[in-house]
Amino acid sequence: AMATAGPRSFSAAEVRARCAQGACLVSCRRRLYDLSGFVRLHPGGEQLLRRRAGTDVSAALDGPPHRHSENARRWLEQYYVGDIEPGDEQTTALGAWEGFAAQNPAAAAQLCAWHWDGLWVPQHYNPCLLPQDLVDWQKPLLWQVGYLGEKYDEWVHQPVDRPIRLFHSDFLEFLSKTAWYVVFLVWTPVVLYLSWVSYTSLAQGNTRLFSSFTTEYSIPVHKYYFPFIFLLGMVLWSLLEYLIHRFVFHMKPPASNYYLITLHFLLHGQHHKSPFDSSRLVFPPVPASLVIGFFYGVLRLLLPEVLGLSVFVGGLCGYVIYDMMHYYLHYGSPKKGTYLYGLKAYHVKHHFEHQKSGFGISTRFWDYPFRTLIPEETFKKED
């Protein structure tokens, strides 16, 4: 059961003093939030939030330039620390809001609280704690989520800011977590070594395309072709990245199938539930090696050995870049106006509002031909 104690009250002077010391406190009407631990993760950039420290962000949540989703508003509630004391000039509008809320509870609930499983959450609770009651966060989640049934899809797409434990076994749990630099340290030497093997093998002049079908019309593959074959592998990876993300990671498991729900959560659902769990943003090397080995085998069957290896190593390089970019899109703070700034905002929209589109991560390119591009926001001008 949740505690029924009321929220702590903060004076305007106390809020100003904390902000002067470096904290990032913002308010939404009378509710006060401490975003100090979130500023670097904000898709709009750290400085944007820093400039709003000590202010009311109610209007900013509605935009322009960006209208924040219900998930974003729900996410904000995780940083709720109390209420601002009424009484000074800055809180006059807040008193009017309280009068409106008393007379229009349903409308107030839509604006400040949120709805879960038929229940409006009272304003003196931390609303984001409620959906967590569907599972026991003190126990591994992997074996619990399958029992959520029809509630799973909504629950998994309502993100929270807390780490996830999947397994009872400490060893399996260790294997399921990976620091971002591990991917770079493990796979970069492999990319460099296989690139050298591919180039030197092509340099021997024995590789010919279509040689398994005909010797008369087979095409020699020179060593100078290696950079282009490598780039082809990277392009093929970007397509594979899109297809896996869309059709495997974003499959909607049947509500009645415990095992498919569990599999979905293991593959990708965990990431959508806790998108800023830093230990689960890149693919662990052990399961990754199995998937990578599978695709290497496919290329060996389809192409001559050295040619298949050259395409494979380009794809492997593309995967490493993808994983590094994915981590950065969650934890980096790119400069406004840069390519990565736009890509970060795009990917965060995928997590918080557009889970059925925006499947490109390292590039939006494939979202165009497959018509899954996240639409740009438009705001009507008010007279």
Side-chain angles (χ1 to χ4, degrees):
M2 292 184 291
T4 56
R8 182 189 165 185
S9 295
F10 292 80
S11 67
E14 185 177 2
V15 172
R16 288 194 296 270
R18 288 198 176 196
C19 290
Q21 294 172 358
C24 186
L25 299 174
V26 300
S27 62
C28 178
R29 300 171 179 92
R30 279 192 58 196
R31 295 173 68 78
L32 187 68
Y33 306 91
D34 187 351
L35 301 182
S36 304
F38 179 68
V39 287
R40 281 192 55 81
L41 307 179
H42 184 248
E46 178 176 355
Q47 293 307 314
L48 178 63
L49 279 186
R50 290 290 184 190
R51 288 195 298 269
R52 297 191 185 280
T55 68
D56 190 303
V57 297
S58 304
L61 290 175
D62 291 326
H66 170 61
R67 182 181 296 107
H68 290 70
S69 66
E70 289 303 313
N71 271 338
R73 296 165 193 265
R74 188 180 295 111
W75 182 273
L76 176 66
E77 292 299 332
Q78 296 174 108
Y79 307 106
Y80 170 69
V81 291
D83 292 343
I84 297 178
E85 294 177 354
D88 59 30
E89 205 171 298
Q90 296 177 347
T91 57
T92 303
L94 301 177
W97 159 255
E98 288 182 318
F100 166 79
Q103 296 179 11
N104 305 274
Q110 291 180 351
L111 291 171
C112 258
W114 55 282
H115 190 259
W116 179 262
D117 200 21
L119 177 66
W120 284 107
V121 183
Q123 293 298 307
H124 58 274
Y125 292 131
N126 184 339
C128 76
L129 294 178
L130 188 61
Q132 299 171 3
D133 291 343
L134 291 177
V135 296
D136 186 348
W137 284 78
Q138 303 305 313
K139 298 177 181 180
L141 297 189
L142 186 60
W143 314 118
Q144 301 182 57
V145 294
Y147 295 110
L148 296 182
E150 61 185 14
K151 295 182 181 179
Y152 170 75
D153 189 64
E154 180 181 6
W155 174 84
V156 81
H157 289 122
Q158 292 179 338
V160 297
D161 187 11
R162 63 184 301 170
I164 283 177
R165 183 178 179 96
L166 292 177
F167 299 98
H168 291 282
S169 167
D170 291 337
F171 179 68
L172 290 178
E173 186 69 9
F174 170 77
L175 292 180
S176 72
K177 293 183 176 183
T178 309
W180 68 268
Y181 54 82
V182 171
V183 171
F184 182 82
L185 293 176
V186 168
W187 295 114
T188 301
V190 177
V191 170
L192 294 175
Y193 173 72
L194 293 182
S195 295
W196 177 79
V197 170
S198 298
Y199 181 80
T200 54
S201 299
L202 290 175
Q204 295 176 8
N206 300 323
T207 304
R208 304 183 71 88
L209 192 59
F210 306 126
S211 59
S212 58
F213 302 105
T214 175
T215 55
E216 184 177 357
Y217 298 104
S218 61
I219 303 173
V221 182
H222 298 290
K223 63 181 180 180
Y224 306 110
Y225 296 168
F226 174 74
F228 303 101
I229 301 171
F230 186 94
L231 287 175
L232 174 63
M234 293 185 67
V235 172
L236 290 176
W237 160 257
S238 70
L239 174 60
L240 190 62
E241 166 200 317
Y242 174 91
L243 295 175
I244 291 175
H245 189 196
R246 179 179 178 180
F247 295 108
V248 179
F249 290 170
H250 276 271
M251 68 168 181
K252 185 175 181 180
S256 59
N257 195 311
Y258 170 91
Y259 297 102
L260 283 181
I261 291 176
T262 302
L263 177 62
H264 177 269
F265 190 73
L266 177 64
L267 291 176
H268 197 60
Q270 53 165 311
H271 176 52
H272 268 264
K273 188 61 186 175
S274 183
F276 293 102
D277 186 339
S278 61
S279 65
R280 300 189 184 279
L281 287 174
V282 294
F283 207 2
V286 173
S289 63
L290 300 176
V291 178
I292 289 170
F294 168 78
F295 285 112
Y296 173 69
V298 171
L299 287 172
R300 281 290 304 274
L301 291 174
L302 298 177
L303 297 170
E305 181 176 356
V306 179
L307 186 59
L309 182 62
S310 300
V311 173
F312 169 78
V313 72
L316 184 59
C317 181
Y319 157 70
V320 174
I321 294 173
Y322 147 78
D323 245 354
M324 297 299 95
M325 285 186 65
H326 185 220
Y327 184 89
Y328 185 76
L329 294 182
H330 281 264
Y331 268 85
S333 187
K335 185 178 179 181
K336 187 174 182 178
T338 62
Y339 174 74
L340 288 176
Y341 180 90
L343 208 56
K344 178 182 175 75
Y346 187 77
H347 187 57
V348 171
K349 286 181 181 179
H350 166 74
H351 272 279
F352 280 79
E353 189 171 10
H354 297 277
Q355 294 92 354
K356 295 182 180 180
S357 56
F359 299 109
I361 297 174
S362 57
T363 175
R364 307 182 205 183
F365 175 81
W366 297 107
D367 281 314
Y368 285 93
F370 287 104
R371 298 183 179 182
T372 55
L373 193 71
I374 295 176
E376 295 289 335
E377 288 183 274
T378 57
F379 290 86
K380 294 181 179 179
K381 293 183 179 180
E382 295 182 1
D383 296 329

